[in-house]
Amino acid sequence: MTLSSNFRLLTVDQGDTVRIALQGELERATILTLARELEECERRRTAIVVIDLARLEFLDGAAFKLLLEFGRRLRAGGRHLALVNPSRQVRRILEVSAMVHAADVLDEWLEDAHAEP
């Protein structure tokens, strides 16, 4: 877990899927922490990146741009970004922006959605 002022990040690597839980405020002062995690996902060519926004209270324009560009790069490489459990205020920011074109915005991530029957 990484702590920077009131921002926290927890990463769980599950092989082809990496889950990143964010808490607090994602802004210019804290964005570098997330940027490093996303760079590592790109370096490792992670197939699915799931970012849990349930405890994220705020994201500024720079953070939004980081997520948007990351999602576009993943999609261009045949990989996938899912933003899950956004708070009401974060969901509104995502829905009124181009973010919905770079990532799925979901209320929850279903473990068995990709499992074979």
Side-chain angles (χ1 to χ4, degrees), residues 26 51-54 56 58-60 63-65 67-68 81-106:
L26 185 57
I51 301 179
D52 189 336
L53 306 172
L56 188 67
F58 172 79
L59 75 155
D60 72 2
F64 172 79
K65 182 178 178 183
L67 290 173
L68 180 64
L81 173 64
L83 304 175
V84 299
N85 304 318
S87 65
R88 183 175 294 152
Q89 55 270 48
V90 170
R91 177 183 291 279
R92 178 134 171 85
I93 293 168
L94 298 174
E95 288 176 347
V96 299
S97 66
M99 193 69 224
V100 294
H101 299 293
D104 290 333
V105 178
L106 309 168

Side-chain angles (χ1 to χ4, degrees), residues 15 17 34 60 62-63 66 84 110 115:
T17 302
L34 177 59
D60 72 2
L66 174 70
V84 299
L110 301 176

Side-chain angles (χ1 to χ4, degrees), residues 2 52 70 80:
T2 301
D52 189 336
F70 178 70
H80 187 79

